[in-house]
Amino acid sequence: TVAEVVRTKVEELNPLLGDCPVVSMSELTDDFLKDFSIVVCSRMGSLKEAIRISNATVANGGKFYMVDTFGFSGASVFDLGSNHTYRPEMGKKLLPEVGLKEHLPLETVLQEIPLDHATNRFHKSPPAQWVQYRCLLEYIETKGEWPSAETAADFVEFCTEWIQKSAPSLLDTHPSLTETALLNLART
């Protein structure tokens, strides 16, 4: 697995870490996760599992990161726990007026915030990498596998239907949702 390949590099980068265990998803119980201050996952096969692992990690004061790359792009989502606050980027003139906000749990980010609401003062529509990542995550959750060249047409159909239901305003306007862009994403 990828974890076994990078294990030696992780141990080499941090010799104080000692033996870095490689475990299967079924071994990642809430009890097992309570001893870790940081959990980093990649290529998760299920959003439900990612949310479960995230909830178990932050319940014990840990931090959860889920990262993936696709082609030349990448994305990450993280859950820093309900005690983590941040100051939103609003510009220097608004700095004293803008208070601290609580960090949102992973479950809220992935299941409750509509895709077309993932905007800020720099992005009037959701960033392309976030739209692509959400399409990938939803496809994987539903189909149980990452898209490939063989499943590219199915991936395009799935994403079009999912966006139509969840964020129809993006379907005809977002450049990362064209048929060509989705076909290329499936093939990465």
Side-chain angles (χ1 to χ4, degrees):
T1 65
V2 174
E4 291 164 337
V5 172
V6 299
R7 175 184 182 171
T8 56
K9 296 297 182 193
V10 169
E11 292 170 349
E12 183 180 316
L13 285 170
N14 189 352
L16 299 176
L17 185 64
D19 187 37
C20 185
V22 174
V23 297
S24 69
M25 290 289 290
S26 62
E27 295 175 273
L28 293 176
T29 63
D30 292 4
D31 189 53
F32 180 83
L33 291 166
K34 74 177 174 17
D35 295 329
F36 293 91
S37 57
I38 297 174
V39 173
V40 180
C41 295
S42 183
R43 294 292 184 187
M44 297 290 295
S46 163
L47 287 176
K48 289 176 188 153
E49 279 296 296
I51 291 167
R52 181 189 69 76
I53 292 168
S54 172
N55 289 342
T57 302
V58 299
N60 292 295
K63 313 295 184 202
F64 175 84
Y65 297 85
M66 183 169 69
V67 297
D68 284 299
T69 59
F70 35 95
F72 290 117
S73 296
S76 67
V77 288
F78 42 90
D79 191 339
L80 303 177
S82 61
N83 294 330
H84 183 85
T85 57
Y86 69 99
R87 185 176 310 280
E89 168 56 48
M90 300 298 285
K92 290 180 182 178
K93 292 179 183 176
L94 298 174
L95 192 59
E97 298 172 20
V98 178
L100 295 177
K101 290 188 172 187
E102 282 187 15
H103 190 273
L104 297 174
L106 182 70
E107 189 169 9
T108 301
V109 171
L110 294 177
Q111 295 184 337
E112 296 176 25
I113 297 178
L115 181 59
D116 53 356
H117 286 64
T119 60
N120 61 28
R121 77 183 193 121
F122 301 108
H123 300 98
K124 301 306 176 205
S125 66
Q129 290 82 3
W130 180 242
V131 172
Q132 292 173 333
Y133 193 45
R134 287 304 316 276
C135 285
L136 288 167
L137 292 174
E138 293 297 329
Y139 183 83
I140 295 159
E141 180 68 21
T142 303
K143 304 289 184 168
E145 64 183 6
W146 284 76
S148 64
E150 292 78 27
T151 62
D154 180 54
F155 178 70
V156 171
E157 182 180 339
F158 174 86
C159 291
T160 303
E161 290 174 10
W162 179 70
I163 293 294
Q164 187 65 43
K165 290 178 200 167
S166 62
S169 65
L170 298 180
L171 200 53
D172 295 326
T173 61
H174 208 281
S176 63
L177 294 173
T178 65
E179 182 175 358
T180 301
L182 291 172
L183 283 170
N184 289 336
L185 179 59
R187 295 177 181 135
T188 59

